[in-house]
Amino acid sequence: MSEDLLLYAQLGYAEHISRLVASGVDPDWRRQDGVTTLMIAALTGRVGIMTALIDAGATVDLQAPDGMTALLAATAFARTTRDATGIELLLARGAEPNVANFEGNDPLMMAARHGLVDGVLMLLKAGSNPLRANRHGTTALMQAARGHLVETARILIRAGADPAQ
């Protein structure tokens, strides 16, 4: 029954999600690898499904064993599509912008690495810390600089990132 939640999410059947949850299915149901249906929806850019899951009570900041969250998944989707709608939705629904994966990379670092200017701006407005470094000592500014992403770097510096860090 719980697997049906993932199936309906993959098929885009948002209306079925609330019925499943009403019948007792946990909106935070996880696959064996610890990934939630909300993370899968975010990774595939299904904003309607993300909305239905959150409305049904899914927790936005749950982490998979590798530290992935729905917000990190939405950032990964935006990397390839340049569509930051999932990031915007999750932040509006209370996602914590400073939660990082097991490598210490948070959504701001991921957005900066790929020059997602809209995503960087949204994350900074939501309270992302531009001074935070991952476990290798790399900051969002360093990631933007490595990619020669000048506009992203300027935004980060204006937000308080330290070029000397």
Side-chain angles (χ1 to χ4, degrees):
M1 184 74 139
S2 297
E3 291 85 7
D4 290 345
L5 186 67
L6 179 59
L7 174 66
Y8 289 142
Q10 290 171 325
L11 293 173
Y13 295 165
E15 66 279 359
H16 289 60
I17 290 171
S18 58
R19 278 188 263 159
L20 279 175
V21 172
S23 73
V25 173
D26 181 3
D28 290 327
W29 177 82
R30 296 172 182 261
R31 298 185 316 199
Q32 284 184 324
D33 62 1
V35 174
T36 67
T37 304
L38 181 59
M39 291 174 199
I40 297 292
L43 192 58
T44 57
R46 292 187 174 270
V47 176
I49 298 299
M50 293 166 60
T51 300
L53 286 164
I54 295 167
D55 288 348
T59 307
V60 295
D61 286 328
L62 286 181
Q63 288 187 280
D66 66 357
M68 180 175 63
T69 64
L71 187 55
L72 283 163
T75 305
F77 175 78
R79 175 187 74 209
T80 57
T81 64
R82 315 312 282 177
D83 180 0
T85 308
I87 296 170
E88 182 177 28
L89 170 70
L90 289 164
L91 291 172
R93 295 300 194 97
E96 169 54 51
N98 291 302
V99 176
N101 63 21
F102 76 101
E103 288 288 321
N105 291 308
D106 63 22
L108 181 63
M109 292 175 197
M110 304 301 286
R113 175 186 302 165
H114 300 290
L116 300 171
V117 173
D118 290 342
V120 167
L121 290 169
M122 284 183 230
L123 289 159
L124 288 167
K125 286 179 186 173
S128 285
N129 180 358
L131 295 172
R132 195 169 181 289
N134 66 19
R135 69 183 202 143
H136 304 288
T138 306
T139 65
L141 180 58
M142 290 173 179
Q143 297 203 25
R146 280 187 187 147
H148 306 284
L149 302 166
V150 176
E151 184 178 1
T152 304
R154 284 184 181 144
I155 291 167
L156 290 165
I157 291 169
R158 278 189 234 129
D162 182 0
Q165 185 177 4

